[in-house]
Amino acid sequence: MPWESREDFENLLAALRAEFNPDGAMEQETVLDLACLRWHKQRVRKMWQAATYSEPFVIELIQSGKKSWSGVRKYLRREAKASHGIIDSLHDLYMRVADEARKIGDGLNGAERENVDFESAQRQIDGILSTVTRHVVPLIRDLQSGPNAERTLGKAYSPEYLEPILRIEAGIDARIDKALGRLVSLKAYKSLASEPAMLPPPRHDQREIDLQLKGN
């Protein structure tokens, strides 16, 4: 990819060539396949890290400087408590506004009709309730269902989240094993082909042996 390091890939390829010492076009191509497969595996891991870092609370968790599981859990609980506090405050605000609006409405019902424009007052009350319901209630729902500190870390380590990543890595590993098997077969074939043919010793009939003995 344009944003990936060509130098890193070439270093990986050079390391594999030094390790397997490929000889000939087929072995060179097989080692190149191994480098590509290893690169793909590294890419999968980097994408997993990128997806994890995209969670809003991960950066805050990193910046918190927590290095132990105990510290991480305490930090997450504190953040979750703060988030719940905001939700509770918004819910209390909504309930107070709605309650005040109902009280005003009840007061209008007991007022002298000639002194109050009931229709205008009722429209204002309905407008207040509608505004609060339209803006505050969805915000409360978003905060309740949206990402939070505890769910962020749980997602990064949950089996459901890791399963597709592990499945992809297993597929890449199978292809790496297949390429290694091909490389071993190529080297074994060349080794056998380079050895001299083992010919059976020459056979001598009995008459030739007797003549040789008489000559001696």
Side-chain angles (χ1 to χ4, degrees):
M1 296 294 180
W3 53 84
E4 294 178 326
S5 172
R6 181 181 183 87
E7 181 181 358
D8 288 346
F9 178 79
E10 290 178 347
N11 290 337
L12 173 62
L13 179 58
L16 291 174
R17 283 174 174 166
E19 180 177 357
F20 294 107
N21 192 25
D23 179 24
M26 284 295 295
E27 291 188 21
Q28 291 282 2
E29 182 178 349
T30 302
V31 171
L32 177 60
D33 289 344
L34 285 171
C36 290
L37 290 168
R38 287 287 305 277
W39 191 260
H40 292 163
K41 191 172 181 179
Q42 292 178 13
R43 182 182 293 164
V44 171
R45 292 174 178 175
K46 289 178 181 178
M47 290 304 298
W48 171 73
Q49 291 177 340
T52 303
Y53 287 148
S54 67
E55 295 288 338
F57 288 96
V58 170
I59 300 300
E60 296 179 11
L61 179 59
I62 294 172
Q63 293 174 347
S64 71
K66 305 301 180 183
K67 300 296 184 180
S68 66
W69 279 106
S70 175
V72 168
R73 285 196 298 269
K74 290 179 181 178
Y75 173 81
L76 293 177
R77 283 197 295 267
R78 185 170 64 250
E79 291 298 309
K81 184 176 180 180
S83 177
H84 290 315
I86 295 174
I87 295 174
D88 292 341
S89 297
L90 286 172
H91 184 267
D92 291 343
L93 173 63
Y94 170 74
M95 295 302 296
R96 286 199 302 270
V97 172
D99 187 56
E100 289 298 324
R102 283 192 294 269
K103 288 180 180 179
I104 294 174
D106 293 340
L108 289 176
N109 291 331
E112 294 293 335
R113 182 169 296 273
E114 60 272 10
N115 297 328
V116 179
D117 186 347
F118 285 92
E119 292 184 359
S120 176
Q122 190 62 51
R123 284 195 300 270
Q124 293 178 12
I125 294 171
D126 292 342
I128 294 173
L129 290 175
S130 176
T131 300
V132 173
T133 302
R134 188 167 61 252
H135 294 286
V136 177
V137 173
L139 179 59
I140 294 174
R141 291 173 180 169
D142 290 342
L143 289 172
Q144 289 174 334
S145 61
N148 62 47
E150 291 177 305
R151 280 199 293 267
T152 293
L153 192 66
K155 180 181 177 182
Y157 287 94
S158 67
E160 294 81 6
Y161 185 73
L162 293 175
E163 182 181 4
I165 300 171
L166 296 176
R167 189 164 54 245
I168 293 172
E169 287 190 337
I172 296 175
D173 285 339
R175 295 178 63 186
I176 289 175
D177 291 342
K178 187 175 181 180
L180 287 172
R182 186 198 320 156
L183 185 60
V184 171
S185 298
L186 287 169
K187 289 185 175 296
Y189 172 78
K190 290 181 180 180
S191 178
L192 290 175
S194 63
E195 292 181 0
M198 299 297 294
L199 299 177
R203 296 180 62 184
H204 302 282
D205 55 24
Q206 189 62 39
R207 182 180 178 183
E208 185 178 354
I209 294 173
D210 292 340
L211 290 173
Q212 290 178 357
L213 289 174
K214 289 179 179 181
N216 294 333

